[in-house]
Amino acid sequence: MAQERKEKFLTTELVNKIIESNDDLNGYRLVSDSDCVLTTPQGLDGFMSVIHRLTLNLTHTTTGATRCLTVMVKVMKGDDGFRKKSLGLVLFPNEINVYSAVIPAFKRLVRNANAKIDLHTLCPRIYVAEAGVTYPSYSDQEETFLVMEDVSARGFVPGPRLNLDKPHLTLMARKVAQFHACSYALRIGGQSEMLSDLVKRIIPLNFVQDGKIFFESYDIVFKVVFERLFAYFDEKPELLQSDSIRERVQTLRRQYGTTPSELMQRCLERDDVYSVILHGDYNRNNVLFRYDADAPQDVMLIDFQENRYGSPGLDLSFFMYMNMPPEDWANGGWEYLLTVYHQELISCICDILKLQPDDPALQAYSFDAMQQHLKQHFIYGAIIAIKFLPCMLANEQEVEEIVHHFHKDVTADAFRQIYLTAGGEKVNDRISRVMVHAAEQGYLDMIM
């Protein structure tokens, strides 16, 4: 009954809101019920959301012109208790804010500067974005509705599930640099007040707040994956070959082995030079690629639920540790991607502000200065990556068990047990390599 109620709302009231909220749809309507088709594609939903596809065959009331519109409708899962525990009441409004306020402001910035940056493929077109609304015809809860363009019509589709090759990685590094560059351009270009106004709209997504764990579900998974990581190092001490690497990993274990959220909170520190508006969960799961002859040509950002304001290292480190295969870290691969990001960042800032790369205003953002800053925050991405890797590398049955326990009771020992073993040796090898690499790169020095 509840499902029928929701489906009726989505195919009637929400359709009317889509039409009423977009000028280019004025005068269009559905002629019959068969002109509206609602489906729920498999594999698109996440831990906290359901995504429907809505196909509308519209007819103009005056001209008789027809138009077929396909949109994706993203709504929250779960009861109020689950939404509160999973911070859905923070995540979803923050995502709505990015689409309705941040990205439009960035597009105006680029347009007013007559810059060459093309932000048309930064994210899908948004038709409706509402947070904290109540529709009795849909549910008795406070809801969030995000209706966005189905960009598959423009050729944007998911890429490889986890590991990306150089062309994919390069596109992702450049795209997130374009996104970050807009924050820097506002600050450097004398529009700090506008940047501040956008930042004030972001609901803080802390790991620790007022001395208490704020992001409880993440804290639980951090602790389990740290337990798994350090147990593996105990089993294979030869992985920590040098004294310096061993000392850094041991310091991590001693200081934050049972309090990982405190370290993650340190990584969220803001400053008045480097902080930018972040995607917040930047990895392959949250982008779509457009291909030509099997080669990736463009990338689009989606799923801004963990949007924050902080170091660009948060976005960059997670993306690199999550989606760059360990075998590509060596032989200049890691440095290559950092260089691609930095070159695109400076190019975009210069394009928007009409500066030369050697302008004194950009001195703080030189490659060396940026690398020193990023080193203080790259442990963040390493820890977020090892948090997700057991689920990403697990088999289908293990994933189903993880999802089941996550929704039922993430605090139960059953969740801990499956997360300690999911993916087996493949996961143990990957997460240990992530942490050893972080130590080798100096990303653990901030805790020494």
Side-chain angles (χ1 to χ4, degrees):
M1 189 69 177
Q3 185 61 29
E4 292 177 3
R5 172 186 178 189
K6 291 182 176 182
E7 290 180 0
K8 183 176 181 181
F9 172 86
L10 295 174
T11 55
T12 54
E13 290 185 48
L14 185 63
V15 171
N16 291 334
K17 183 169 285 292
I18 293 170
I19 294 172
E20 294 166 0
S21 302
N22 295 273
D23 291 342
D24 60 330
L25 298 180
N26 284 346
Y28 282 91
R29 66 183 179 91
L30 296 173
V31 175
S32 66
D33 292 344
S34 62
D35 289 328
C36 177
V37 179
L38 177 71
T39 58
T40 306
Q42 296 296 311
L44 294 184
D45 60 339
F47 283 121
M48 294 177 289
S49 63
V50 178
I51 300 180
H52 306 285
R53 178 178 282 118
L54 200 56
T55 302
L56 309 175
N57 292 304
L58 303 171
T59 302
H60 198 278
T61 54
T62 303
T63 66
T66 59
R67 179 173 178 179
C68 181
L69 176 67
T70 304
V71 296
M72 311 304 291
V73 182
K74 184 175 184 178
V75 295
M76 282 191 282
K77 279 183 181 178
D79 58 21
D80 288 338
F82 172 77
R83 293 176 180 183
K84 183 177 181 180
K85 180 179 288 188
S86 63
L87 296 186
L89 302 180
V90 174
L91 300 173
F92 283 81
N94 275 349
E95 180 173 34
I96 294 295
N97 177 58
V98 172
Y99 285 121
S100 61
V102 174
I103 290 176
F106 286 178
K107 287 183 175 180
R108 286 194 300 272
L109 171 71
V110 170
R111 184 172 61 249
N112 292 341
N114 196 28
K116 298 176 182 178
I117 309 167
D118 183 5
L119 296 186
H120 288 94
T121 60
L122 180 64
C123 71
R125 173 182 171 177
I126 303 302
Y127 288 89
V128 173
E130 292 187 323
V133 293
T134 302
Y135 290 103
S137 53
Y138 181 81
S139 76
D140 300 324
Q141 299 173 262
E142 200 172 85
E143 301 289 352
T144 297
F145 292 98
L146 181 62
V147 182
M148 67 190 90
E149 168 192 13
D150 179 1
V151 293
S152 63
R154 284 203 269 162
F156 284 92
V157 296
R161 186 172 185 272
L162 179 63
N163 293 330
L164 301 179
D165 60 16
K166 189 174 182 179
H168 287 87
L169 293 166
T170 300
L171 283 173
M172 284 190 67
R174 286 176 174 161
K175 185 69 76 171
V176 79
Q178 293 170 11
F179 185 63
H180 292 166
C182 293
S183 292
Y184 286 131
L186 287 173
R187 178 182 293 121
I188 300 167
Q191 298 187 67
S192 293
E193 187 173 340
M194 181 182 294
L195 177 61
S196 178
D197 288 343
L198 291 173
V199 172
K200 288 176 183 176
R201 298 169 65 106
I202 303 172
I203 304 171
L205 182 58
N206 292 313
F207 295 100
V208 179
Q209 189 165 300
D210 300 325
K212 298 179 181 179
I213 297 299
F214 184 66
F215 211 155
E216 183 180 0
S217 61
Y218 266 49
D219 183 67
I220 290 168
V221 185
F222 286 148
K223 288 177 178 176
V224 175
V225 82
F226 263 28
E227 179 184 352
R228 180 172 183 168
L229 173 70
F230 294 128
Y232 190 65
F233 281 139
D234 288 343
E235 180 185 333
K236 297 199 171 187
E238 67 273 12
L239 296 175
L240 305 177
Q241 294 181 353
S242 72
D243 292 341
S244 63
I245 300 303
R246 187 179 305 107
E247 180 185 5
R248 281 158 174 75
V249 172
Q250 289 175 346
T251 301
L252 172 66
R253 185 177 192 173
R254 184 171 59 252
Q255 293 192 15
Y256 296 105
T258 59
T259 57
S261 289
E262 292 183 6
L263 174 57
M264 300 305 284
Q265 186 63 34
R266 281 186 61 182
C267 294
L268 300 186
E269 292 177 358
R270 302 175 174 184
D271 63 62
D272 296 328
V273 178
Y274 294 107
S275 292
V276 297
I277 295 176
L278 300 163
H279 179 283
D281 192 14
Y282 195 58
N283 74 104
R284 202 297 297 160
N285 282 7
N286 296 326
V287 300
L288 300 170
F289 293 97
R290 180 177 61 79
Y291 293 88
D292 183 12
D294 296 328
Q297 301 297 317
D298 200 358
V299 63
M300 178 180 287
L301 280 57
I302 57 174
D303 290 349
F304 290 84
Q305 290 182 354
E306 295 194 29
N307 162 249
R308 290 183 172 93
Y309 178 70
S311 168
L314 274 58
D315 275 346
L316 201 57
S317 61
F318 178 36
F319 145 63
M320 291 176 68
Y321 273 122
M322 190 71 175
N323 299 131
M324 192 175 185
E327 56 268 23
D328 291 350
W329 297 345
N331 301 320
W334 193 260
E335 293 72 19
Y336 163 79
L337 215 54
L338 291 171
T339 302
V340 166
Y341 169 83
H342 183 261
Q343 289 178 342
E344 185 71 15
L345 181 76
I346 297 301
S347 175
C348 291
I349 296 172
C350 290
D351 187 17
I352 296 170
L353 299 180
K354 312 308 176 191
L355 300 176
Q356 293 299 314
D358 59 353
D359 192 287
L362 299 178
Q363 185 174 355
Y365 309 102
S366 69
F367 184 78
D368 289 342
M370 286 291 294
Q371 298 320 297
Q372 288 304 310
H373 166 77
L374 294 175
K375 273 190 174 184
Q376 302 301 310
H377 297 270
F378 254 51
I379 186 59
Y380 176 92
I383 294 175
I384 294 287
I386 68 171
K387 169 189 177 291
F388 283 109
L389 284 168
C391 191
M392 294 299 296
L393 293 171
N395 61 43
E396 187 174 338
Q397 182 178 346
E398 290 171 326
V399 171
E400 289 180 1
E401 190 172 348
I402 289 169
V403 173
H404 169 76
H405 290 300
F406 184 88
H407 282 288
K408 184 178 180 181
D409 185 4
V410 72
T411 65
D413 190 59
F415 177 83
R416 172 178 166 273
Q417 292 298 332
I418 183 61
Y419 224 75
L420 285 173
T421 59
E425 190 68 13
K426 182 165 54 176
V427 167
N428 292 335
D429 176 69
R430 180 92 172 229
I431 65 175
S432 63
R433 292 175 73 176
V434 167
M435 199 53 64
V436 168
H437 181 267
E440 291 172 341
Q441 294 295 312
Y443 302 152
L444 291 178
D445 290 1
M446 50 93 75
I447 67 171
M448 296 300 291

